[in-house]
Amino acid sequence: MTQLALVIDLNVCVGCHACVTSCKEWNTSGSAGYLTDENPYEKDPTGTFFNRVQSFEIGEYPKTETVHFPKSCLHCEDPPCVPVCPTGASYKRLEDGIVLVDFDKCIGCRYCSWACPYGAREIDEQQKVMKKCTLCVDRLYDESLPESERKPACVLACPTSARLFGDVHDPESVVSVAIREEGGYALMPEWGTKPANHYLPRRKIRKPIHEDELQRADNPLNKEQRKPRAPVDEPTLDDSTSW
Amino acid sequence: MNPAFSVIFLTTLIGVGQGMFLAMYTGHAYSALNILPFETSASFYGVGSMIALVFLVGGLIASFFHLGRPERAWRSAARWRTSWLSREVIVLPLFMGLVGIYAILTYFSWWDLSVYQSASGSNLQLSLVIGVMATLASFALFICTGMIYACIKFLQEWASPLTVINYTLLGVASGFVLATTFSSYAAPELTQFYAVWAAIITFAAMLTRIASLYRNARIKFKSTIQTAIGIRHTKIKQKAMGFMAGSVNTRDFFHNQSQIFIKNMKWIFLTLVFPLPLILLWVGVTYSSSGILIFAFVVQYIGLIAERWFFFAQANHPQNLYYQTI
């Protein structure tokens, strides 16, 4: 069975919010209708977003690191928001594991947003229905798009390729390999929601170099001496064509 | 959580309605078993159940204010297999229907058929049978209402059997206090019976509510900022939530009140729901004063609104870990 998901590399994310704006742009102009923004240019603006980039400071000054943390719906394999829905508007697609809301069935009771520990669901204050990340389901299967663009808008927007997209149930997919080989982890594992989206941790690549490695001990030139050079007093053709 | 007044009124009003019906049926059953003198003005149980129905309808109306799309509310009965909210949506009208039938049968007692007559001549009335069904529906409704909150396991303040027990006992207590008030007008000989039950249940509710406060004061939260972002470090501080404007995440899940306000609310509800109504019941029954008994009910109901407000405000949603600072 397919389970589409994002893998977000915190080692690479620079916190530029390109995924946020790209997500908002695509989803506010998509087939499912706009994403409400209220008072966008006035006091107390507010709006509906599917994706946010948050920043955390790890450690204590001066030994700190800033981690930029993109957060969207994790498309849990056991989503706690789905069974609580009284109307069946919230559902998890069998064919690709995407958790969606049927806007025409949603009564806007907000119970699913209470039942999501990650705060991934936001009610649209004008349309009064619950909205959430769709993993750009309206791009993934759109054959009018070139195949390279059949990916979530956030993935296409990321300038550092911090967002990978694929099927986490296929062990050879790019996301599965990344999770397996780069230490991918899930958020709040304590609730057994089994999020499909994973995060790759910050990782330092350190190469220990010994002093004797700085000087090549078995350098043949030490024995064989340098190549003989042509006399340098006059320019030669060889000077300008070779090094 | 940010307490929503629609839900506060829904849960407290149907609690009163359920408790009031249970009080009426308790009186009816006692008299059927000849423990209490039979209430000859048979309309007592009928009128009392009608009052219960008024509270239930009030709660139902309040619930619609919580919905973004109330015109689609009928859809919410669909997922009764998985959703406690859906189950509540089914049980509430079912219970209201049974209370309505019970009210009609007891008010117009000549409609009340005898379904069984024993050799000794005692009758089993149809209203008693309907009453048993309504009683079961009433407790089912308490379970549904409580489980809506108790089943969300990461809202650790709610995820406890005490949530269901408190919803039940507080609802029944307020209903019995209302029944005491009502009987002081309609059937003064029953006032003491209802007052004693109201006091016992209020006292029991006090014990379980304090037990839940005790439990919640000692919760160790499973979710921390470390598990929320998956970084193993003892010192993590959020520096930006990614936006400066508000969102549903910053409005629905934060009560935005000071710790002192919360603490005061706790003491206000602890006073208004338990000791004050107990004293007023005692005074009201001793001096046979209906006015004081009405006051007892009003005080306890206001206290219950404070109690429900506190219940919501006290719950810490793990999503708040992601929204610590702008």
Side-chain angles (χ1 to χ4, degrees), chain A residues 45 54-55 57 59 83-84 103 106 110-111 114 116 119 185 190-191, chain B residues 69 72 82-83 148 223 227 229 235 237 239-240 245 249 252 317 322:
Chain A
Q54 309 188 316
S55 301
E57 185 182 77
V84 301
F103 299 150
C106 177
R110 297 162 185 249
Y111 193 25
W114 294 9
C116 170
Y185 61 85
E190 59 271 24
W191 302 119
Chain B
R69 295 276 192 158
R72 296 177 186 165
T82 59
S83 171
I148 286 174
S223 285
T227 69
I229 64 172
K235 292 238 159 42
K237 226 162 86 183
K239 288 293 176 182
N249 302 83
D252 268 18
H317 200 289
Y322 297 107

PDB file of all heavy atoms in Angstrom, chain A residues 45 54-55 57 59 83-84 103 106 110-111 114 116 119 185 190-191, chain B residues 69 72 82-83 148 223 227 229 235 237 239-240 245 249 252 317 322:
ATOM      1  N   PRO A  45      -4.445  40.963  11.585  1.00  0.00           N
ATOM      2  CA  PRO A  45      -4.664  40.078  10.440  1.00  0.00           C
ATOM      3  C   PRO A  45      -4.683  38.622  10.898  1.00  0.00           C
ATOM      4  O   PRO A  45      -4.101  38.286  11.927  1.00  0.00           O
ATOM      5  CB  PRO A  45      -3.461  40.351   9.547  1.00  0.00           C
ATOM      6  CG  PRO A  45      -2.411  40.834  10.467  1.00  0.00           C
ATOM      7  CD  PRO A  45      -3.101  41.532  11.595  1.00  0.00           C
ATOM      8  N   GLN A  54       8.770  27.313  11.638  1.00  0.00           N
ATOM      9  CA  GLN A  54       9.015  27.868  12.961  1.00  0.00           C
ATOM     10  C   GLN A  54      10.499  27.788  13.259  1.00  0.00           C
ATOM     11  O   GLN A  54      11.216  26.992  12.662  1.00  0.00           O
ATOM     12  CB  GLN A  54       8.221  27.072  13.995  1.00  0.00           C
ATOM     13  CG  GLN A  54       6.769  26.950  13.588  1.00  0.00           C
ATOM     14  CD  GLN A  54       5.910  26.341  14.654  1.00  0.00           C
ATOM     15  OE1 GLN A  54       6.298  25.349  15.267  1.00  0.00           O
ATOM     16  NE2 GLN A  54       4.746  26.927  14.865  1.00  0.00           N
ATOM     17  N   SER A  55      10.950  28.643  14.179  1.00  0.00           N
ATOM     18  CA  SER A  55      12.378  28.669  14.489  1.00  0.00           C
ATOM     19  C   SER A  55      12.593  28.415  15.972  1.00  0.00           C
ATOM     20  O   SER A  55      11.899  28.979  16.811  1.00  0.00           O
ATOM     21  CB  SER A  55      12.982  30.009  14.102  1.00  0.00           C
ATOM     22  OG  SER A  55      12.773  30.212  12.722  1.00  0.00           O
ATOM     23  N   GLU A  57      15.618  27.876  19.095  1.00  0.00           N
ATOM     24  CA  GLU A  57      17.009  28.037  19.493  1.00  0.00           C
ATOM     25  C   GLU A  57      17.363  26.872  20.401  1.00  0.00           C
ATOM     26  O   GLU A  57      16.717  26.653  21.427  1.00  0.00           O
ATOM     27  CB  GLU A  57      17.190  29.359  20.237  1.00  0.00           C
ATOM     28  CG  GLU A  57      18.629  29.659  20.571  1.00  0.00           C
ATOM     29  CD  GLU A  57      18.752  30.962  21.342  1.00  0.00           C
ATOM     30  OE1 GLU A  57      18.453  30.978  22.543  1.00  0.00           O
ATOM     31  OE2 GLU A  57      19.127  31.970  20.729  1.00  0.00           O
ATOM     32  N   GLY A  59      20.091  25.039  22.805  1.00  0.00           N
ATOM     33  CA  GLY A  59      21.288  25.304  23.583  1.00  0.00           C
ATOM     34  C   GLY A  59      21.257  26.648  24.256  1.00  0.00           C
ATOM     35  O   GLY A  59      20.252  27.350  24.256  1.00  0.00           O
ATOM     36  N   PRO A  83     -11.012   9.272  13.172  1.00  0.00           N
ATOM     37  CA  PRO A  83     -12.142   8.571  13.790  1.00  0.00           C
ATOM     38  C   PRO A  83     -13.075   9.477  14.589  1.00  0.00           C
ATOM     39  O   PRO A  83     -14.238   9.127  14.774  1.00  0.00           O
ATOM     40  CB  PRO A  83     -11.477   7.529  14.696  1.00  0.00           C
ATOM     41  CG  PRO A  83     -10.093   7.996  14.884  1.00  0.00           C
ATOM     42  CD  PRO A  83      -9.723   8.753  13.655  1.00  0.00           C
ATOM     43  N   VAL A  84     -12.588  10.629  15.077  1.00  0.00           N
ATOM     44  CA  VAL A  84     -13.460  11.478  15.895  1.00  0.00           C
ATOM     45  C   VAL A  84     -14.446  12.276  15.054  1.00  0.00           C
ATOM     46  O   VAL A  84     -15.422  12.802  15.587  1.00  0.00           O
ATOM     47  CB  VAL A  84     -12.645  12.451  16.776  1.00  0.00           C
ATOM     48  CG1 VAL A  84     -11.711  11.689  17.705  1.00  0.00           C
ATOM     49  CG2 VAL A  84     -11.887  13.446  15.950  1.00  0.00           C
ATOM     50  N   PHE A 103     -14.849  19.067   2.159  1.00  0.00           N
ATOM     51  CA  PHE A 103     -15.395  20.348   2.605  1.00  0.00           C
ATOM     52  C   PHE A 103     -16.917  20.386   2.537  1.00  0.00           C
ATOM     53  O   PHE A 103     -17.555  21.177   3.215  1.00  0.00           O
ATOM     54  CB  PHE A 103     -14.838  21.503   1.756  1.00  0.00           C
ATOM     55  CG  PHE A 103     -13.351  21.654   1.841  1.00  0.00           C
ATOM     56  CD1 PHE A 103     -12.625  22.150   0.784  1.00  0.00           C
ATOM     57  CD2 PHE A 103     -12.668  21.307   2.989  1.00  0.00           C
ATOM     58  CE1 PHE A 103     -11.248  22.295   0.866  1.00  0.00           C
ATOM     59  CE2 PHE A 103     -11.301  21.433   3.089  1.00  0.00           C
ATOM     60  CZ  PHE A 103     -10.585  21.934   2.022  1.00  0.00           C
ATOM     61  N   CYS A 106     -18.138  18.676   5.907  1.00  0.00           N
ATOM     62  CA  CYS A 106     -17.654  19.187   7.187  1.00  0.00           C
ATOM     63  C   CYS A 106     -18.684  20.137   7.793  1.00  0.00           C
ATOM     64  O   CYS A 106     -19.217  21.009   7.114  1.00  0.00           O
ATOM     65  CB  CYS A 106     -16.330  19.914   6.985  1.00  0.00           C
ATOM     66  SG  CYS A 106     -15.691  20.648   8.493  1.00  0.00           S
ATOM     67  N   ARG A 110     -14.920  21.533  14.796  1.00  0.00           N
ATOM     68  CA  ARG A 110     -13.569  21.707  15.331  1.00  0.00           C
ATOM     69  C   ARG A 110     -13.057  20.523  16.158  1.00  0.00           C
ATOM     70  O   ARG A 110     -11.983  20.589  16.741  1.00  0.00           O
ATOM     71  CB  ARG A 110     -13.474  22.960  16.228  1.00  0.00           C
ATOM     72  CG  ARG A 110     -13.742  24.232  15.484  1.00  0.00           C
ATOM     73  CD  ARG A 110     -14.076  25.336  16.445  1.00  0.00           C
ATOM     74  NE  ARG A 110     -14.460  26.538  15.713  1.00  0.00           N
ATOM     75  CZ  ARG A 110     -13.737  27.640  15.671  1.00  0.00           C
ATOM     76  NH1 ARG A 110     -12.601  27.718  16.314  1.00  0.00           N
ATOM     77  NH2 ARG A 110     -14.128  28.675  14.985  1.00  0.00           N
ATOM     78  N   TYR A 111     -13.832  19.453  16.252  1.00  0.00           N
ATOM     79  CA  TYR A 111     -13.411  18.340  17.099  1.00  0.00           C
ATOM     80  C   TYR A 111     -12.107  17.724  16.580  1.00  0.00           C
ATOM     81  O   TYR A 111     -11.250  17.331  17.363  1.00  0.00           O
ATOM     82  CB  TYR A 111     -14.534  17.311  17.159  1.00  0.00           C
ATOM     83  CG  TYR A 111     -14.394  16.249  18.230  1.00  0.00           C
ATOM     84  CD1 TYR A 111     -13.645  16.482  19.383  1.00  0.00           C
ATOM     85  CD2 TYR A 111     -15.028  15.027  18.114  1.00  0.00           C
ATOM     86  CE1 TYR A 111     -13.531  15.523  20.367  1.00  0.00           C
ATOM     87  CE2 TYR A 111     -14.932  14.063  19.088  1.00  0.00           C
ATOM     88  CZ  TYR A 111     -14.179  14.308  20.213  1.00  0.00           C
ATOM     89  OH  TYR A 111     -14.077  13.337  21.179  1.00  0.00           O
ATOM     90  N   TRP A 114      -9.107  19.518  17.781  1.00  0.00           N
ATOM     91  CA  TRP A 114      -8.777  19.169  19.163  1.00  0.00           C
ATOM     92  C   TRP A 114      -8.040  17.847  19.198  1.00  0.00           C
ATOM     93  O   TRP A 114      -7.211  17.615  20.067  1.00  0.00           O
ATOM     94  CB  TRP A 114     -10.038  19.026  20.015  1.00  0.00           C
ATOM     95  CG  TRP A 114     -10.822  20.275  20.222  1.00  0.00           C
ATOM     96  CD1 TRP A 114     -10.639  21.484  19.603  1.00  0.00           C
ATOM     97  CD2 TRP A 114     -11.933  20.460  21.100  1.00  0.00           C
ATOM     98  NE1 TRP A 114     -11.557  22.384  20.051  1.00  0.00           N
ATOM     99  CE2 TRP A 114     -12.374  21.781  20.965  1.00  0.00           C
ATOM    100  CE3 TRP A 114     -12.591  19.611  21.998  1.00  0.00           C
ATOM    101  CZ2 TRP A 114     -13.444  22.293  21.687  1.00  0.00           C
ATOM    102  CZ3 TRP A 114     -13.661  20.117  22.710  1.00  0.00           C
ATOM    103  CH2 TRP A 114     -14.078  21.449  22.559  1.00  0.00           C
ATOM    104  N   CYS A 116      -5.993  16.561  17.082  1.00  0.00           N
ATOM    105  CA  CYS A 116      -4.686  16.496  16.413  1.00  0.00           C
ATOM    106  C   CYS A 116      -3.630  17.073  17.353  1.00  0.00           C
ATOM    107  O   CYS A 116      -3.684  18.255  17.669  1.00  0.00           O
ATOM    108  CB  CYS A 116      -4.706  17.297  15.112  1.00  0.00           C
ATOM    109  SG  CYS A 116      -3.050  17.492  14.406  1.00  0.00           S
ATOM    110  N   GLY A 119      -1.516  20.238  15.945  1.00  0.00           N
ATOM    111  CA  GLY A 119      -2.093  21.524  15.533  1.00  0.00           C
ATOM    112  C   GLY A 119      -2.021  21.717  14.034  1.00  0.00           C
ATOM    113  O   GLY A 119      -1.778  22.817  13.549  1.00  0.00           O
ATOM    114  N   TYR A 185      13.172  10.663  11.729  1.00  0.00           N
ATOM    115  CA  TYR A 185      12.359  10.380  12.911  1.00  0.00           C
ATOM    116  C   TYR A 185      10.981  11.007  12.753  1.00  0.00           C
ATOM    117  O   TYR A 185      10.764  11.874  11.918  1.00  0.00           O
ATOM    118  CB  TYR A 185      13.050  10.893  14.181  1.00  0.00           C
ATOM    119  CG  TYR A 185      13.277  12.383  14.201  1.00  0.00           C
ATOM    120  CD1 TYR A 185      12.261  13.242  14.640  1.00  0.00           C
ATOM    121  CD2 TYR A 185      14.477  12.943  13.802  1.00  0.00           C
ATOM    122  CE1 TYR A 185      12.451  14.610  14.658  1.00  0.00           C
ATOM    123  CE2 TYR A 185      14.672  14.308  13.812  1.00  0.00           C
ATOM    124  CZ  TYR A 185      13.658  15.139  14.239  1.00  0.00           C
ATOM    125  OH  TYR A 185      13.837  16.487  14.256  1.00  0.00           O
ATOM    126  N   GLU A 190       5.157   9.408  21.129  1.00  0.00           N
ATOM    127  CA  GLU A 190       4.510   8.869  22.333  1.00  0.00           C
ATOM    128  C   GLU A 190       3.005   8.631  22.169  1.00  0.00           C
ATOM    129  O   GLU A 190       2.393   7.942  22.967  1.00  0.00           O
ATOM    130  CB  GLU A 190       4.746   9.802  23.529  1.00  0.00           C
ATOM    131  CG  GLU A 190       4.238  11.233  23.376  1.00  0.00           C
ATOM    132  CD  GLU A 190       5.251  12.174  22.750  1.00  0.00           C
ATOM    133  OE1 GLU A 190       6.151  11.689  22.036  1.00  0.00           O
ATOM    134  OE2 GLU A 190       5.135  13.390  22.966  1.00  0.00           O
ATOM    135  N   TRP A 191       2.402   9.205  21.127  1.00  0.00           N
ATOM    136  CA  TRP A 191       0.945   9.037  20.986  1.00  0.00           C
ATOM    137  C   TRP A 191       0.569   7.968  19.977  1.00  0.00           C
ATOM    138  O   TRP A 191      -0.620   7.765  19.704  1.00  0.00           O
ATOM    139  CB  TRP A 191       0.293  10.380  20.622  1.00  0.00           C
ATOM    140  CG  TRP A 191       0.591  11.421  21.635  1.00  0.00           C
ATOM    141  CD1 TRP A 191       1.259  12.587  21.441  1.00  0.00           C
ATOM    142  CD2 TRP A 191       0.270  11.378  23.032  1.00  0.00           C
ATOM    143  NE1 TRP A 191       1.383  13.275  22.620  1.00  0.00           N
ATOM    144  CE2 TRP A 191       0.782  12.562  23.606  1.00  0.00           C
ATOM    145  CE3 TRP A 191      -0.392  10.464  23.851  1.00  0.00           C
ATOM    146  CZ2 TRP A 191       0.650  12.844  24.968  1.00  0.00           C
ATOM    147  CZ3 TRP A 191      -0.512  10.747  25.203  1.00  0.00           C
ATOM    148  CH2 TRP A 191      -0.009  11.912  25.747  1.00  0.00           C
TER     149      TRP A 191
ATOM    150  N   ARG B  69     -21.148  25.102  10.374  1.00  0.00           N
ATOM    151  CA  ARG B  69     -22.152  24.851   9.344  1.00  0.00           C
ATOM    152  C   ARG B  69     -23.333  24.114   9.956  1.00  0.00           C
ATOM    153  O   ARG B  69     -23.512  22.914   9.718  1.00  0.00           O
ATOM    154  CB  ARG B  69     -21.539  23.977   8.236  1.00  0.00           C
ATOM    155  CG  ARG B  69     -20.414  24.657   7.481  1.00  0.00           C
ATOM    156  CD  ARG B  69     -20.991  25.523   6.389  1.00  0.00           C
ATOM    157  NE  ARG B  69     -19.963  25.979   5.468  1.00  0.00           N
ATOM    158  CZ  ARG B  69     -20.248  26.371   4.245  1.00  0.00           C
ATOM    159  NH1 ARG B  69     -21.489  26.335   3.804  1.00  0.00           N
ATOM    160  NH2 ARG B  69     -19.290  26.817   3.462  1.00  0.00           N
ATOM    161  N   ARG B  72     -25.690  21.602   8.232  1.00  0.00           N
ATOM    162  CA  ARG B  72     -25.281  20.235   7.889  1.00  0.00           C
ATOM    163  C   ARG B  72     -25.259  19.328   9.119  1.00  0.00           C
ATOM    164  O   ARG B  72     -24.714  18.227   9.056  1.00  0.00           O
ATOM    165  CB  ARG B  72     -23.874  20.253   7.298  1.00  0.00           C
ATOM    166  CG  ARG B  72     -23.764  20.995   6.000  1.00  0.00           C
ATOM    167  CD  ARG B  72     -22.302  20.979   5.575  1.00  0.00           C
ATOM    168  NE  ARG B  72     -22.092  21.786   4.402  1.00  0.00           N
ATOM    169  CZ  ARG B  72     -20.906  22.183   3.988  1.00  0.00           C
ATOM    170  NH1 ARG B  72     -19.825  21.852   4.673  1.00  0.00           N
ATOM    171  NH2 ARG B  72     -20.778  22.908   2.905  1.00  0.00           N
ATOM    172  N   THR B  82     -17.208   5.135  15.254  1.00  0.00           N
ATOM    173  CA  THR B  82     -15.902   5.562  15.766  1.00  0.00           C
ATOM    174  C   THR B  82     -15.956   6.814  16.627  1.00  0.00           C
ATOM    175  O   THR B  82     -15.081   7.019  17.446  1.00  0.00           O
ATOM    176  CB  THR B  82     -14.930   5.848  14.595  1.00  0.00           C
ATOM    177  OG1 THR B  82     -15.495   6.869  13.776  1.00  0.00           O
ATOM    178  CG2 THR B  82     -14.676   4.612  13.774  1.00  0.00           C
ATOM    179  N   SER B  83     -16.951   7.664  16.421  1.00  0.00           N
ATOM    180  CA  SER B  83     -16.882   8.988  17.041  1.00  0.00           C
ATOM    181  C   SER B  83     -17.869   9.117  18.187  1.00  0.00           C
ATOM    182  O   SER B  83     -19.075   8.938  18.016  1.00  0.00           O
ATOM    183  CB  SER B  83     -17.175  10.049  15.983  1.00  0.00           C
ATOM    184  OG  SER B  83     -17.311  11.301  16.588  1.00  0.00           O
ATOM    185  N   ILE B 148     -16.405  12.156  24.839  1.00  0.00           N
ATOM    186  CA  ILE B 148     -15.937  13.084  23.806  1.00  0.00           C
ATOM    187  C   ILE B 148     -14.627  13.715  24.263  1.00  0.00           C
ATOM    188  O   ILE B 148     -13.685  13.879  23.479  1.00  0.00           O
ATOM    189  CB  ILE B 148     -17.002  14.160  23.537  1.00  0.00           C
ATOM    190  CG1 ILE B 148     -18.155  13.561  22.748  1.00  0.00           C
ATOM    191  CG2 ILE B 148     -16.413  15.362  22.806  1.00  0.00           C
ATOM    192  CD1 ILE B 148     -19.323  14.502  22.556  1.00  0.00           C
ATOM    193  N   SER B 223       4.202  14.815  26.257  1.00  0.00           N
ATOM    194  CA  SER B 223       4.770  15.587  25.156  1.00  0.00           C
ATOM    195  C   SER B 223       5.545  16.773  25.698  1.00  0.00           C
ATOM    196  O   SER B 223       5.073  17.492  26.573  1.00  0.00           O
ATOM    197  CB  SER B 223       3.660  16.093  24.239  1.00  0.00           C
ATOM    198  OG  SER B 223       3.191  15.035  23.455  1.00  0.00           O
ATOM    199  N   THR B 227      10.044  16.234  22.283  1.00  0.00           N
ATOM    200  CA  THR B 227       9.370  15.264  21.420  1.00  0.00           C
ATOM    201  C   THR B 227       8.621  15.975  20.294  1.00  0.00           C
ATOM    202  O   THR B 227       8.414  15.406  19.233  1.00  0.00           O
ATOM    203  CB  THR B 227       8.372  14.398  22.214  1.00  0.00           C
ATOM    204  OG1 THR B 227       7.273  15.211  22.624  1.00  0.00           O
ATOM    205  CG2 THR B 227       8.997  13.775  23.427  1.00  0.00           C
ATOM    206  N   ILE B 229       9.564  18.570  18.464  1.00  0.00           N
ATOM    207  CA  ILE B 229      10.376  18.802  17.274  1.00  0.00           C
ATOM    208  C   ILE B 229      11.459  17.734  17.114  1.00  0.00           C
ATOM    209  O   ILE B 229      12.218  17.770  16.152  1.00  0.00           O
ATOM    210  CB  ILE B 229      10.995  20.226  17.260  1.00  0.00           C
ATOM    211  CG1 ILE B 229      11.964  20.423  18.411  1.00  0.00           C
ATOM    212  CG2 ILE B 229       9.915  21.286  17.298  1.00  0.00           C
ATOM    213  CD1 ILE B 229      12.739  21.736  18.306  1.00  0.00           C
ATOM    214  N   LYS B 235      17.855  22.312  26.569  1.00  0.00           N
ATOM    215  CA  LYS B 235      17.512  23.732  26.455  1.00  0.00           C
ATOM    216  C   LYS B 235      17.033  24.029  25.041  1.00  0.00           C
ATOM    217  O   LYS B 235      17.851  24.169  24.121  1.00  0.00           O
ATOM    218  CB  LYS B 235      18.735  24.582  26.774  1.00  0.00           C
ATOM    219  CG  LYS B 235      19.162  24.512  28.224  1.00  0.00           C
ATOM    220  CD  LYS B 235      19.151  25.891  28.846  1.00  0.00           C
ATOM    221  CE  LYS B 235      19.073  25.880  30.354  1.00  0.00           C
ATOM    222  NZ  LYS B 235      19.889  24.893  31.037  1.00  0.00           N
ATOM    223  N   LYS B 237      14.307  26.616  22.994  1.00  0.00           N
ATOM    224  CA  LYS B 237      13.398  27.755  23.150  1.00  0.00           C
ATOM    225  C   LYS B 237      12.877  28.139  21.782  1.00  0.00           C
ATOM    226  O   LYS B 237      13.648  28.250  20.828  1.00  0.00           O
ATOM    227  CB  LYS B 237      14.151  28.938  23.763  1.00  0.00           C
ATOM    228  CG  LYS B 237      13.378  29.600  24.888  1.00  0.00           C
ATOM    229  CD  LYS B 237      14.288  30.452  25.741  1.00  0.00           C
ATOM    230  CE  LYS B 237      14.449  31.841  25.178  1.00  0.00           C
ATOM    231  NZ  LYS B 237      15.384  32.666  25.943  1.00  0.00           N
ATOM    232  N   LYS B 239      11.775  30.612  19.043  1.00  0.00           N
ATOM    233  CA  LYS B 239      12.088  32.006  18.763  1.00  0.00           C
ATOM    234  C   LYS B 239      11.078  32.620  17.806  1.00  0.00           C
ATOM    235  O   LYS B 239      10.941  33.833  17.755  1.00  0.00           O
ATOM    236  CB  LYS B 239      13.499  32.116  18.166  1.00  0.00           C
ATOM    237  CG  LYS B 239      14.596  31.865  19.176  1.00  0.00           C
ATOM    238  CD  LYS B 239      14.626  32.975  20.207  1.00  0.00           C
ATOM    239  CE  LYS B 239      15.664  32.694  21.284  1.00  0.00           C
ATOM    240  NZ  LYS B 239      15.670  33.740  22.315  1.00  0.00           N
ATOM    241  N   ALA B 240      10.422  31.792  17.029  1.00  0.00           N
ATOM    242  CA  ALA B 240       9.412  32.310  16.097  1.00  0.00           C
ATOM    243  C   ALA B 240       8.437  31.197  15.766  1.00  0.00           C
ATOM    244  O   ALA B 240       8.839  30.055  15.565  1.00  0.00           O
ATOM    245  CB  ALA B 240      10.076  32.816  14.820  1.00  0.00           C
ATOM    246  N   ALA B 245       0.695  37.356  12.779  1.00  0.00           N
ATOM    247  CA  ALA B 245      -0.753  37.491  12.901  1.00  0.00           C
ATOM    248  C   ALA B 245      -1.302  36.299  13.672  1.00  0.00           C
ATOM    249  O   ALA B 245      -0.604  35.322  13.904  1.00  0.00           O
ATOM    250  CB  ALA B 245      -1.380  37.556  11.517  1.00  0.00           C
ATOM    251  N   ASN B 249      -4.763  28.305  15.592  1.00  0.00           N
ATOM    252  CA  ASN B 249      -3.917  27.638  16.571  1.00  0.00           C
ATOM    253  C   ASN B 249      -3.616  28.519  17.776  1.00  0.00           C
ATOM    254  O   ASN B 249      -3.397  28.023  18.868  1.00  0.00           O
ATOM    255  CB  ASN B 249      -2.587  27.238  15.921  1.00  0.00           C
ATOM    256  CG  ASN B 249      -2.794  26.352  14.733  1.00  0.00           C
ATOM    257  OD1 ASN B 249      -3.053  26.830  13.641  1.00  0.00           O
ATOM    258  ND2 ASN B 249      -2.708  25.060  14.934  1.00  0.00           N
ATOM    259  N   ASP B 252      -7.848  29.124  19.410  1.00  0.00           N
ATOM    260  CA  ASP B 252      -8.700  28.061  19.956  1.00  0.00           C
ATOM    261  C   ASP B 252      -8.071  27.321  21.127  1.00  0.00           C
ATOM    262  O   ASP B 252      -8.769  26.683  21.899  1.00  0.00           O
ATOM    263  CB  ASP B 252      -9.019  27.033  18.863  1.00  0.00           C
ATOM    264  CG  ASP B 252     -10.300  27.364  18.139  1.00  0.00           C
ATOM    265  OD1 ASP B 252     -10.734  28.527  18.254  1.00  0.00           O
ATOM    266  OD2 ASP B 252     -10.854  26.478  17.469  1.00  0.00           O
ATOM    267  N   HIS B 317      -3.226  21.616  25.513  1.00  0.00           N
ATOM    268  CA  HIS B 317      -3.126  20.872  24.265  1.00  0.00           C
ATOM    269  C   HIS B 317      -1.662  20.816  23.822  1.00  0.00           C
ATOM    270  O   HIS B 317      -0.979  21.838  23.841  1.00  0.00           O
ATOM    271  CB  HIS B 317      -3.974  21.551  23.202  1.00  0.00           C
ATOM    272  CG  HIS B 317      -4.321  20.649  22.065  1.00  0.00           C
ATOM    273  ND1 HIS B 317      -3.388  20.232  21.150  1.00  0.00           N
ATOM    274  CD2 HIS B 317      -5.487  20.050  21.705  1.00  0.00           C
ATOM    275  CE1 HIS B 317      -3.976  19.428  20.274  1.00  0.00           C
ATOM    276  NE2 HIS B 317      -5.247  19.306  20.589  1.00  0.00           N
ATOM    277  N   TYR B 322       4.046  24.228  19.954  1.00  0.00           N
ATOM    278  CA  TYR B 322       4.524  24.819  18.703  1.00  0.00           C
ATOM    279  C   TYR B 322       4.202  26.311  18.610  1.00  0.00           C
ATOM    280  O   TYR B 322       4.547  26.950  17.631  1.00  0.00           O
ATOM    281  CB  TYR B 322       3.876  24.127  17.500  1.00  0.00           C
ATOM    282  CG  TYR B 322       4.218  22.671  17.350  1.00  0.00           C
ATOM    283  CD1 TYR B 322       3.287  21.679  17.643  1.00  0.00           C
ATOM    284  CD2 TYR B 322       5.475  22.270  16.904  1.00  0.00           C
ATOM    285  CE1 TYR B 322       3.583  20.345  17.491  1.00  0.00           C
ATOM    286  CE2 TYR B 322       5.783  20.939  16.749  1.00  0.00           C
ATOM    287  CZ  TYR B 322       4.834  19.970  17.038  1.00  0.00           C
ATOM    288  OH  TYR B 322       5.141  18.648  16.883  1.00  0.00           O
TER     289      TYR B 322
END
